[in-house]
Amino acid sequence: MEVILKEDVNKLGHRGDVVKVADGYGRNYLLPGKLAIEATAANKAVIEQMKASAVRKSAKEKVEASALAEQLNAVELVFERKSGENDHLFGSVTSSDIAHELAAKGFTIDRRKIALDDPLKTIGEYHVPVKLHREVTSHVKVTVKGDREEVAEAPAAEATA
């Protein structure tokens, strides 16, 4: 099935591209989600208008994304989680957690735009990339702290007989 993309789709193409996809993927995901339209003769005539519009829209989005990236570069998030031996967390910090904290600070970022390969499972400081636009990526500083307090080892009580 050939479709014309109305939005950028990860690992498939950009807005205005004509791509060939599996029938089920097109019918069940792209078309209902209004991410694409079927590539008929009439729709192919509209591609040029869509591409011009897409270029204008992309330029506007890039400017907005650049401004947001400047603000996000200054943001620092701190998470406190239960930790065990060797600074390993019992839970983890996921992209959803980061998106939720960013929302609490006034930034509405979709969790899918947070490029976290694996959840953060150890204590430390991380710079997590946030893909705001295909050409604009920001980095958010994330600090993960453990709740374990380092207990000083008390001297062993001597047995008296």
Side-chain angles (χ1 to χ4, degrees):
M1 158 184 254
E2 277 194 339
V3 294
I4 303 167
L5 297 177
K6 291 171 70 177
E7 297 292 330
D8 291 350
V9 178
N10 235 3
K11 299 180 184 172
L12 185 60
H14 301 295
R15 194 177 329 182
D17 290 350
V18 178
V19 293
K20 189 169 180 73
V21 296
D23 290 345
Y25 183 60
R27 269 197 317 269
N28 298 325
Y29 179 70
L30 295 174
L31 296 176
K34 302 206 185 314
L35 298 173
I37 56 176
E38 202 166 344
T40 62
N43 287 341
K44 285 184 180 181
V46 178
I47 291 176
E48 293 306 316
Q49 292 174 349
M50 276 182 58
K51 282 190 177 182
S53 170
V55 167
R56 287 192 303 272
K57 186 175 178 184
S58 179
K60 181 181 174 195
E61 287 174 351
K62 183 179 178 186
V63 170
E64 292 171 357
S66 296
L68 183 59
E70 290 297 319
Q71 294 174 351
L72 281 178
N73 283 332
V75 171
E76 181 177 343
L77 303 177
V78 178
F79 293 93
E80 190 169 312
R81 297 284 192 262
K82 285 189 169 244
S83 62
E85 297 290 320
N86 301 327
D87 294 338
H88 192 75
L89 300 180
F90 286 122
S92 63
V93 178
T94 63
S95 58
S96 296
D97 296 332
I98 294 171
H100 183 72
E101 279 296 313
L102 285 172
K105 292 191 179 245
F107 299 100
T108 49
I109 305 290
D110 185 14
R111 68 172 177 77
R112 291 173 291 208
K113 292 187 177 191
I114 299 171
L116 192 60
D117 294 331
D118 295 316
L120 306 176
K121 294 185 178 186
T122 56
I123 293 173
E125 211 172 85
Y126 303 91
H127 292 281
V128 178
V130 180
K131 192 164 178 71
L132 300 171
H133 184 267
R134 83 181 125 186
E135 298 172 10
V136 179
T137 302
S138 177
H139 290 276
V140 175
K141 184 176 176 186
V142 175
T143 305
V144 181
K145 294 182 178 178
D147 68 343
R148 270 187 48 178
E149 293 180 17
E150 296 302 320
V151 179
E153 290 186 27
E158 294 181 26
T160 54

